[in-house]
Amino acid sequence: MISDLVRSLVARVATVGVKADPLSVAIAAVGGLVVALFVVPNLPTKHGIPGPFRLPIAGNALALAKYANTGKSHELFHQYFTKYGAVFSLSAFGVLILAVRDPVLIHRALTDTTSFRRSERAGQRVPDIIGEALFVLPSGEQWKRHRKQLQPAFAPLQLRNAATVIDPVVGKLADYFTDLAAKHDGSATVNIYSEFTALTFDLIGVIGFSFNLDAIKSLHEGTANESFEILEDVPIIFQQRVFRPPSTWEHHGIGLKSPRPLRVRKFLDDLFGRVIEERHAANSRAREPKDPKTMDVLDRLLLGSEELGTFTKNEVIGEMAAFFLAGHETTANTLTLLMMELSRNPEIQERLYTENKTTLASLKEGLTAENLHEFKYLDFVVKESQRLHAVVGRVGRQTTRDIDYNGRIIPAGTNLMLAFNEAHRDPKYWPAPERFNPDRWDGLKPHPGSFVPFGDGPMNCIGQKLALIEIKMTIIRLIERFRIALVPGQDLSYVTTITTGLKHGLRVALTPRI
Ligand code: HEM
């Protein structure tokens, strides 16, 4: 059909050359415009990878923005993967994007650092707030410096100490549920997502920076918590900017000079500025210099090192905000979706309870970071939940040179969207992919790239061990003390911002086990 259109236009243009009557000129001009605007953007490309119809200039940006702004981009991508297969192409304002579900290409893009990189794109969405933070920094020297400096804050000793912080905080949360249940006919009904968001928010503050933003306290006392509200706005601004050209941000109230982002940045400067000053003062009062082995994230950011130099104030504040961002919503969503599966599958819950009881009784030194591996069925349950619910559903990379992909050439400079959530449910790698079946993990070594909840390669999640300690300890302590049931009749649809979770959270009834 396209070739017929092009042929008739060529004939028209040829006629124009001979006769030049006004009607033919007008038809040829309109036709030329139609071809330039609608046909050329949709001609088969060098890479030959299929994809949905592209509009002139905007390409697929309008559909992407529409779905992204309603939190449903996962639905649009799923429709396209179903229609076009494991890799499809999109464009947005001249930028070519390949969406990838194929685990082989996902694995390659995450681990082959000579052919793929993280581009500047994510950082350019939030240069005013967290532009210089690890998880948006492009591949290169600055990323390497941040990673090298911060990695030791997640070493075994720090994780062991973190576990000693997590266990009592979770214990207090469980006490709160017990009291609530006693006041309400023996069962506490809560939106567990709100509880987990507050929990993970407080934990990242205490573990990473030794200060508590008291989100749990505010939630339970029903008081406002400005730090929490402001930090929660960062991913929303991020998401609202993703598929919109920067020239339109101001119009949507999310420009670099718009009041909302300015308020966020000012608040972060004030809050984190105070925390930084206090830490500097404490460090200068200390008689001995800090032992690098016991340094937390903030120490590492402030003290720098001989080898890696010192961090600017913008880098420190950006990292602090980004750690709250990367470290709390991801973990809260993972915990919530896991609770959804447990509340839907009482028999799995009971198996966990039995394992819990025997394993906890066998631990001489109590629950620690080191003995969590003894809860084997719990490990399967967590993995299976992360497989079905990849809360970081998509991650970006860019090709640094032409790539041969199954005989097709993906040109250098192409942006890839690696769809972890789709790879996790690919029937080629996962039999009965929609079934929540923890037993599938018994003896299983997944195909590379088919299970990547924390990414892979050098840019994998720096906080993954900490996140798993938080998740496992929370589940162990809640399952130990409560039966968890789903409150019927609720809307469990997903919402995708930077992460994917449940749009309205999750209401569960917690009934204490006697
Ligand atoms: C279940 C919880 C979590 C999930 C599913 C998750 C997932 C991920 C994924 C998929 C990436 C890779 C991004 C990429 O390849 O571009 C990542 C990176 C990152 N995560 Fe997590 N994360 C979680 C918890 C945490 C926690 C608790 C922290 C902090 C304490 C954290 C901090 C980071 C940071 C700083 C990066 C950037 C690493 C780098 O670029 O070198 N995450 N996370």
Side-chain angles (χ1 to χ4, degrees):
M1 201 192 123
I2 288 176
S3 56
D4 288 350
L5 183 63
V6 173
R7 219 174 294 125
S8 79
L9 281 166
V10 170
R12 274 279 167 197
V13 173
T15 323
V16 170
V18 177
K19 287 198 223 143
D21 69 285
L23 179 63
S24 291
V25 172
I27 292 174
V30 171
L33 203 63
V34 169
V35 170
L37 292 180
F38 294 95
V39 180
V40 172
N42 289 287
L43 284 177
T45 45
K46 189 176 164 194
H47 53 74
I49 291 173
F53 185 80
R54 296 172 202 165
L55 288 171
I57 305 164
N60 308 99
L62 297 183
L64 289 171
K66 183 176 146 212
Y67 276 80
N69 294 332
T70 49
K72 291 186 174 163
S73 58
H74 54 274
E75 286 182 9
L76 184 70
F77 277 81
H78 185 68
Q79 281 169 29
Y80 288 159
F81 277 118
T82 310
K83 188 160 179 194
Y84 300 106
V87 181
F88 65 84
S89 67
L90 296 165
S91 82
F93 299 102
V95 178
L96 173 67
I97 303 163
L98 291 190
V100 180
R101 181 186 70 185
D102 177 1
V104 177
L105 187 51
I106 289 180
H107 179 66
R108 205 175 146 197
L110 293 175
T111 54
D112 172 358
T113 50
T114 52
S115 310
F116 298 86
R117 66 189 286 269
R118 192 195 277 154
S119 78
E120 289 73 17
R121 234 178 114 68
Q124 283 165 350
R125 304 289 114 177
V126 274
D128 47 339
I129 307 177
I130 50 168
E132 291 187 280
L134 196 53
F135 91 98
V136 292
L137 276 172
S139 307
E141 285 312 309
Q142 196 182 9
W143 171 80
K144 262 193 209 149
R145 191 170 137 258
H146 279 231
R147 180 87 193 202
K148 209 167 171 190
Q149 181 68 2
L150 291 173
Q151 188 72 60
F154 298 90
L157 181 64
Q158 270 80 356
L159 295 173
R160 190 185 311 151
N161 293 341
T164 64
V165 171
I166 296 165
D167 202 16
V169 175
V170 175
K172 265 177 81 181
L173 188 63
D175 291 345
Y176 169 79
F177 294 148
T178 306
D179 291 348
L180 203 64
K183 284 186 206 143
H184 293 89
D185 296 334
S187 170
T189 299
V190 291
N191 189 330
I192 201 78
Y193 172 69
S194 311
E195 304 289 337
F196 287 155
T197 309
L199 170 73
T200 52
F201 194 77
D202 283 351
L203 287 177
I204 195 77
V206 176
I207 293 165
F209 310 104
S210 307
F211 74 97
N212 192 346
L213 286 169
D214 281 333
I216 297 183
K217 189 164 175 264
S218 313
L219 179 70
H220 293 170
E221 290 176 359
T223 51
N225 186 320
E226 202 181 1
S227 326
F228 182 67
E229 281 156 24
I230 293 270
L231 279 157
E232 288 281 276
D233 205 19
V234 178
I236 300 173
I237 294 173
F238 196 139
Q239 175 64 27
Q240 290 176 344
R241 285 177 178 173
V242 167
F243 292 115
R244 290 189 165 123
S247 56
T248 67
W249 291 355
E250 210 68 48
H251 169 74
H252 293 286
I254 48 170
L256 302 183
K257 302 239 158 51
S258 303
R260 197 171 128 211
L262 284 177
R263 178 171 165 253
V264 170
R265 181 61 207 221
K266 169 145 189 356
F267 187 88
L268 297 181
D269 281 343
D270 292 348
L271 173 71
F272 293 150
R274 275 200 307 278
V275 175
I276 291 168
E277 269 170 35
E278 280 164 24
R279 181 65 65 92
H280 273 313
N283 283 344
S284 58
R285 277 197 308 270
R287 286 205 204 108
E288 302 276 319
K290 270 220 161 121
D291 177 355
K293 281 204 229 96
T294 61
M295 285 183 184
D296 65 7
V297 173
L298 184 57
D299 284 326
R300 301 212 141 259
L301 287 168
L302 293 183
L303 299 177
S305 67
E306 237 170 71
E307 183 200 349
L308 300 166
T310 48
F311 287 84
T312 64
K313 195 168 176 200
N314 195 44
E315 285 179 303
V316 175
I317 291 186
E319 279 298 6
M320 291 178 82
F323 263 89
F324 273 99
L325 185 63
H328 96 278
E329 197 178 282
T330 46
T331 315
N333 278 334
T334 304
L335 270 166
T336 304
L337 290 157
L338 209 165
M339 286 296 259
M340 178 179 81
E341 293 301 348
L342 292 183
S343 60
R344 276 171 171 172
N345 294 284
E347 69 298 346
I348 292 177
Q349 211 183 116
E350 283 314 299
R351 253 179 90 179
L352 261 190
Y353 174 72
T354 310
E355 174 185 85
N356 241 357
K357 215 171 156 190
T358 40
T359 316
L360 280 171
S362 73
L363 301 175
K364 291 192 189 72
E365 69 284 34
L367 191 59
T368 65
E370 285 86 359
N371 57 32
L372 283 172
H373 70 272
E374 294 188 28
F375 296 75
K376 292 205 168 56
Y377 188 59
L378 174 64
D379 189 53
F380 296 169
V381 169
V382 173
K383 284 199 175 101
E384 181 65 346
S385 188
Q386 288 201 288
R387 180 190 69 78
L388 259 184
H389 310 292
V391 301
V392 178
R394 290 190 302 266
V395 151
R397 288 293 186 272
Q398 194 178 57
T399 49
T400 55
R401 52 181 168 195
D402 286 5
I403 302 296
D404 181 338
Y405 172 64
N406 294 344
R408 289 162 162 170
I409 298 297
I410 302 177
T414 303
N415 294 291
L416 304 186
M417 254 192 202
L418 310 174
F420 297 172
N421 53 351
E422 294 282 335
H424 284 194
R425 291 174 182 228
D426 188 336
K428 200 168 150 195
Y429 299 88
W430 300 102
E434 304 300 326
R435 202 173 142 226
F436 182 73
N437 174 18
D439 284 322
R440 74 168 82 231
W441 287 93
D442 198 351
L444 180 77
K445 195 169 177 292
H447 188 285
S450 67
F451 179 66
V452 278
F454 294 110
D456 201 350
M459 288 184 153
N460 68 1
C461 177
I462 201 169
Q464 57 185 292
K465 289 191 178 140
L466 175 64
L468 286 172
I469 295 173
E470 287 182 33
I471 292 164
K472 289 183 175 178
M473 280 193 151
T474 304
I475 297 298
I476 288 171
R477 292 308 186 195
L478 292 184
I479 289 290
E480 184 189 14
R481 291 176 58 175
F482 305 96
R483 277 198 179 83
I484 299 144
L486 197 64
V487 173
Q490 55 185 314
D491 175 2
L492 295 177
S493 50
Y494 291 108
V495 64
T496 298
T497 53
I498 298 179
T499 62
T500 299
L502 294 174
K503 189 169 181 186
H504 304 287
L506 178 75
R507 289 176 61 72
V508 291
L510 299 150
T511 310
R513 292 176 186 265
I514 305 132

